[in-house]
Amino acid sequence: MAKPKLLITRKLRGDVEARAARDYDVMLNPDDKVFSTDELVAACRKVDAVLPCHSEHFSAEVIDAIGPGLRIIANHSVGTDHVDLAAAKAAGVVVTNTPDVLSDATAEIAILCMLGAARRGAEGDAMVRSGQWNFWSPAFMVGRQVTGKRFGVLGMGRVGQVTADRARGFGMEVHYHNRSRLPAHLEKGAVFHDTLESLLAVSDVLSLHCPATAQNKGIINADTLALLPDRAIIVNTARGALIDEDALVAALRSGKLFAAGLDVFQTEPGGNPALSALPNVFMLPHIGSATEETRDAMGFRALDNLDAFFAGQEPGDRVA
Ligand code: DGY
């Protein structure tokens, strides 16, 4: 029987591509070229399945332009905001994601962002690297200590839970707001807040772990930032769309926020020059899941979903 035709839109690690080539008639992207929308549509028209990253956008128009041949979008990401799920469903295209396998890696980056923000990592690194470190004093580069502070988690899904565990290791008290309260064995003593407002009021550090749904876009804005304790720290490893970046810049400039640690931005790649100009922002280029182990696990998980689909089974991580 002919192997299903599979497009892998970005360069993945060797073992993942080797397994894909073994089991599928695969179209790889060895140069890791970024597809234009027209190129994405043209390539997807030739295959039964696509394994994309969050860098490829499957809007309703794109799904419509691809037409009936494409049967499954097996994402190499936990986030699915780059796919119009309703349009995929209406077109009969199955969509899957890769939950769980990136929780540890993303939690590590959230903690790095928190510490980088609290301990002035960007300023310190820039000073030493540029040869401008010519002074030391006890009054120099004083940051905020996180030990004993309140760690607010917005979105206590899998990544939020692992990040909360890591924050407990720093002696932080965990608070969270989620659609529903977790059972005690997952809550692990964290304080549940049934409103966002109540969580914000106690979050010395606020870490975002919710998806960028239509309801959540801009959830952190001038009004919600005002509810945080003075000199709070914001960490975002989820999606840039959750934050109104103009309001964030204003709060960082005014001192309402002590600092921010950001791995994601509204504009990616690229970021936001107004945030880049601020010394109290510690920034990374969307690398939450970028470890060797996690990239392999994400690739294999996406292939597991494809294998199940083409074996006539329900893929484990179906989201549409
Ligand atoms: C995810 O999996 O959603 C990460 O942001 C990488 O795409």
Side-chain angles (χ1 to χ4, degrees), residues 34-82:
V34 178
F35 284 77
S36 69
T37 302
D38 288 347
E39 288 166 340
L40 181 66
V41 168
C44 286
R45 279 186 179 152
K46 296 183 190 147
V47 295
D48 307 299
V50 59
L51 194 161
C53 297
H54 75 264
S55 46
E56 285 74 56
H57 293 257
F58 290 84
S59 62
E61 293 71 32
V62 167
I63 290 169
D64 185 52
I66 292 169
L70 185 71
R71 296 172 62 198
I72 176 167
I73 300 173
N75 289 296
H76 183 278
S77 65
V78 66
T80 54
D81 50 303
H82 58 288

Side-chain angles (χ1 to χ4, degrees), residues 161-230:
Q161 289 170 37
V162 180
T163 309
D165 280 343
R166 305 294 178 262
R168 287 183 184 98
F170 286 92
M172 302 184 80
E173 181 184 290
V174 177
H175 293 249
Y176 74 101
H177 171 60
N178 200 44
R179 267 176 308 180
S180 49
R181 185 168 180 175
L182 299 184
H185 73 282
L186 295 179
E187 200 170 64
K188 299 182 188 168
V191 180
F192 175 64
H193 293 258
D194 59 5
T195 65
L196 171 65
E197 292 71 20
S198 159
L199 174 72
L200 294 176
V202 300
S203 296
D204 298 312
V205 175
L206 177 71
S207 193
L208 307 184
H209 298 287
C210 51
T213 57
Q215 297 87 333
N216 288 344
K217 286 192 179 156
I219 194 167
I220 301 303
N221 52 47
D223 293 339
T224 48
L225 285 166
L227 301 176
L228 287 164
D230 288 345

Side-chain angles (χ1 to χ4, degrees), residues 52-55 75-82 97-99 102 106 237-239 263-264 268 286-290 295 298:
C53 297
H54 75 264
S55 46
N75 289 296
H76 183 278
S77 65
V78 66
T80 54
D81 50 303
H82 58 288
N97 69 345
T98 56
L102 45 64
T106 307
T237 54
R239 284 293 183 265
D263 183 46
V264 290
E268 293 186 10
H286 200 146
I287 54 167
S289 54
R295 287 285 183 253
M298 291 169 76

Side-chain angles (χ1 to χ4, degrees), residues 101-165:
V101 291
L102 45 64
S103 305
D104 289 339
T106 307
E108 287 179 3
I109 286 289
I111 296 298
L112 175 61
C113 285
M114 173 178 75
L115 296 177
R119 300 302 299 274
R120 305 173 60 171
E123 275 176 275
D125 181 83
M127 185 182 294
V128 182
R129 195 179 292 277
S130 64
Q132 287 171 38
W133 179 30
N134 56 9
F135 176 77
W136 188 92
S137 136
F140 162 77
M141 287 287 299
V142 175
R144 293 202 78 191
Q145 190 156 323
V146 299
T147 318
K149 299 280 190 330
R150 296 164 299 183
F151 186 75
V153 179
L154 178 54
M156 196 62 142
R158 288 160 280 222
V159 179
Q161 289 170 37
V162 180
T163 309
D165 280 343

